[in-house]
Amino acid sequence: MNKVNTLISKDELYNRIKQVAEEINENYGENETLNIICVLKGAFMFCAELIKYLKMPVKVEFVSLSSYGDSHCSQGKIKALNLTLPEFENENVLIVEDIIDTGLTLQFLMEFIEQHCSAKSIKTAVLLDKAETRKIYIEADYKCFNVGDMFVVGFGLDDRQLYRNLDYVGYIE
Ligand code: IMP
Ligand code: MG
């Protein structure tokens, strides 16, 4: 395994995720059910940390999407491995994603939910935002950190399926 240099430490991650959860708490009524959609695989750690602090009733769904395959840049085509979601019958939806890069994955999932599930609102929360490499206009409603145009790993994010278990975000030397 290659050495990974720290970009965002464990403490920075945990503090900022808690702040973002508090922001989310302020924007929904405390009795309004929030349907979290965790985008696998990359968002599993961020999602687990974020939802611990949410105060409204929370339900969690998982979808498995892939745009990178095993390469270092988006293939431009989204692969959906398991895309079945319930009707959200007038409840709020929050998509939780690890990183927005080109923006195509989030756009794809938002359009899918708009077309197939009758949600009251659809918002997005991302751990990392790589704004420089966007191919379409899309902004997350909640974001924890900006990162430059570099390939990052850790805290759920992988390089060829490795490094997801790191408790910090870093780049490979
Ligand atoms: P997008 O569709 O280009 O916005 O890509 C988003 C997906 O690409 C994310 O959910 C990640 O799984 C993956 N991805 C983008 N940048 C990185 C990175 O720097 N490291 C690891 N995965 C990445
Ligand atoms: Mg992902």
Side-chain angles (χ1 to χ4, degrees), residues 39 42 67-68 74 78 97-106 130 150-153 157-159:
V39 185
S67 63
Y68 268 45
S74 172
I78 314 300
E97 175 61 311
D98 53 357
I99 186 166
I100 325 188
D101 177 16
T102 62
L104 296 171
T105 304
L106 265 190
K130 230 191 237 187
M150 60 171 84
F151 193 79
V152 293
V153 295
L157 291 105
D158 74 307
D159 178 18

Side-chain angles (χ1 to χ4, degrees), residues 118-134:
S118 38
K120 177 174 171 187
S121 70
I122 307 171
K123 303 243 182 236
T124 52
V126 301
L127 180 67
L128 305 172
D129 184 2
K130 230 191 237 187
E132 287 170 38
T133 46
R134 206 76 96 244

